Amino acid sequence: MPVWIMGPSYLVFMGWLFMGIAISADIFMEAIEVITSQTSMVSMIDHDTQTVQQMEVVVWNPTLANLTLMAFGSSAPEIILSILEALKDLGKPAGDLGPSTIVGSAAFNLLVISGVSIAAVGEEVKKIDDMGVFITTSVFSVFAYVWLYYCLSISSPGEVTTTEAYLTFSYFIILLILAFSADKMNQKKKKRMEEADAERSK
């Protein structure tokens, strides 16, 4: 077909594919939200009345849910593309599709989404609720790019060794542990401040 027909045809087809990805991603994210919103009843002792109270608490820690399930759900298309390319090129040099989708998605999330979120707030001032978790994830986000550059350009140019792969996965585990610890410390800090406010109000 002539170029003036092929160009618009490709654009329409790509738009159709993007719509399909958006629909499947929405279904996937809704399923994850159902999982992370599950709650359970626990017994808590009210120190003021010395009675046992039933409280509803979420099963999933919000920080861990955001760093695992929610991150996996939002990056599912890129992960699937990388897996398909890896399976297609087994025993051959890796192509550019996998790394490009992962790095592009991470850069888009870190830069564009953060910028749009800040601009959308407008003149209203909003504060970060948990600076510990924010700093932890920010440091690891920048470290991920530095580590990727080190692996592919300095340590083993053009390839990722088994040791580097295991280290990369272990860094993710360390991120979860540090973020979870920072979240718990923030919860304890809030609880102490609420108790102090309650004491002052008496």
XYZ file of all heavy atoms in Angstrom, residues 2 5 20 29 33 48 53 62-63 88 92 100 102 104 111 114 130 140-141 146 162 174-176:
180
model
N 0.388 2.344 -0.525
C 1.174 3.587 -0.497
C 1.355 4.101 0.926
O 0.605 3.765 1.837
C 0.334 4.552 -1.344
C -1.031 3.982 -1.371
C -0.863 2.490 -1.268
N -1.416 5.740 2.979
C -2.420 4.840 3.555
C -1.829 4.042 4.716
O -2.482 3.844 5.744
C -2.977 3.884 2.476
C -3.737 4.672 1.415
C -3.885 2.832 3.102
C -4.301 3.826 0.287
N -6.666 -2.006 23.966
C -6.706 -3.368 24.508
C -5.837 -3.508 25.742
O -6.237 -4.119 26.742
N -5.633 -4.262 37.552
C -5.494 -3.371 38.692
C -6.697 -3.465 39.630
O -6.557 -3.381 40.852
C -5.308 -1.937 38.212
C -3.991 -1.682 37.510
S -2.558 -1.964 38.557
C -2.743 -0.647 39.731
N -6.621 -4.310 43.566
C -7.250 -3.456 44.570
C -8.190 -4.256 45.473
O -8.287 -3.979 46.672
C -8.017 -2.331 43.881
C -7.105 -1.264 43.270
C -7.890 -0.210 42.507
O -9.131 -0.304 42.511
O -7.265 0.679 41.916
N -7.994 2.945 78.188
C -8.806 3.895 78.948
C -9.946 3.198 79.682
O -10.194 3.458 80.862
C -9.359 4.981 78.014
C -8.260 5.836 77.436
O -7.202 5.970 78.094
O -8.448 6.357 76.317
N -11.775 -4.342 72.538
C -12.526 -3.780 71.418
C -12.176 -4.535 70.135
O -11.031 -4.926 69.930
C -12.204 -2.294 71.239
C -12.460 -1.443 72.462
C -13.939 -1.190 72.676
O -14.737 -1.317 71.764
N -14.301 -0.844 73.904
N 0.024 -1.141 53.439
C -0.085 -0.293 52.238
C 1.240 -0.098 51.507
O 1.281 -0.090 50.281
C -0.622 1.033 52.782
C -1.292 0.684 54.069
C -0.519 -0.478 54.625
N 2.326 0.057 52.260
C 3.629 0.271 51.626
C 4.058 -0.954 50.838
O 4.486 -0.850 49.681
C 4.681 0.609 52.692
O 4.320 1.833 53.348
C 6.056 0.772 52.073
N 11.583 -15.707 23.151
C 11.735 -15.769 21.692
C 13.205 -15.827 21.280
O 13.543 -16.467 20.283
C 11.069 -14.542 21.069
C 11.160 -14.468 19.555
C 10.374 -13.293 19.017
C 10.987 -11.979 19.428
N 12.263 -11.695 18.711
N 20.213 -16.536 22.008
C 20.663 -15.488 21.099
C 20.916 -14.214 21.893
O 20.461 -14.084 23.025
C 19.597 -15.213 20.023
C 19.208 -16.420 19.196
C 18.089 -16.041 18.249
C 17.590 -17.254 17.473
N 16.450 -16.900 16.578
N 14.341 -1.560 26.855
C 13.748 -0.263 26.507
C 12.404 -0.065 27.200
O 12.120 1.027 27.700
C 13.567 -0.157 24.990
O 14.807 -0.234 24.335
N 11.325 -1.535 30.012
C 11.494 -1.428 31.464
C 12.051 -0.068 31.846
O 11.520 0.631 32.728
C 12.406 -2.559 31.984
C 11.761 -3.924 31.746
C 12.710 -2.353 33.457
C 10.438 -4.123 32.448
N 12.155 2.678 30.000
C 11.227 3.732 29.595
C 10.067 3.872 30.558
O 9.669 4.985 30.914
N 9.539 10.471 36.357
C 9.614 11.865 35.949
C 8.257 12.446 35.544
O 7.810 13.442 36.109
C 10.609 11.999 34.786
C 12.035 11.503 35.085
C 12.884 11.564 33.835
C 12.666 12.312 36.199
N 5.315 11.886 38.290
C 5.583 12.739 39.456
C 5.316 14.210 39.121
O 4.700 14.940 39.907
C 7.029 12.571 39.918
O 7.272 11.242 40.311
N 4.701 10.234 54.683
C 5.755 9.397 55.264
C 7.056 9.673 54.529
O 7.331 9.088 53.477
C 5.361 7.917 55.152
C 6.253 7.022 55.993
O 7.356 7.456 56.355
O 5.841 5.886 56.295
N 16.412 4.292 46.161
C 16.503 3.039 45.413
C 16.136 3.233 43.945
O 16.647 2.503 43.082
C 15.614 1.969 46.053
C 16.316 1.160 47.102
C 16.445 1.640 48.390
C 16.857 -0.074 46.805
C 17.090 0.899 49.365
C 17.515 -0.819 47.762
C 17.631 -0.336 49.052
N 15.258 4.196 43.643
C 14.923 4.463 42.243
C 16.143 4.969 41.484
O 16.427 4.531 40.361
C 13.791 5.488 42.158
O 12.609 4.978 42.714
N 21.754 3.602 38.372
C 23.214 3.508 38.530
C 23.654 2.055 38.468
O 24.660 1.710 37.817
C 23.643 4.158 39.862
C 25.144 3.989 40.085
C 23.267 5.632 39.886
N 24.817 -14.031 36.130
C 23.925 -14.637 37.117
C 24.078 -13.963 38.477
O 23.092 -13.724 39.178
C 24.220 -16.138 37.248
O 24.150 -16.746 35.955
C 23.213 -16.820 38.160
N 15.791 -5.978 49.926
C 16.280 -4.972 50.883
C 15.393 -3.733 50.857
O 15.085 -3.150 51.905
C 17.745 -4.608 50.564
C 18.651 -5.822 50.799
C 18.210 -3.421 51.398
C 20.076 -5.628 50.332
N 14.967 -3.326 49.660
C 14.061 -2.183 49.543
C 12.764 -2.429 50.306
O 12.294 -1.547 51.044
C 13.750 -1.912 48.067
C 12.571 -0.966 47.768
C 12.841 0.424 48.332
C 12.294 -0.905 46.278
N 12.179 -3.613 50.155
C 10.937 -3.925 50.859
C 11.133 -3.877 52.369
O 10.289 -3.330 53.094
C 10.439 -5.314 50.447
C 9.979 -5.483 48.997
C 9.522 -6.921 48.758
C 8.868 -4.513 48.655
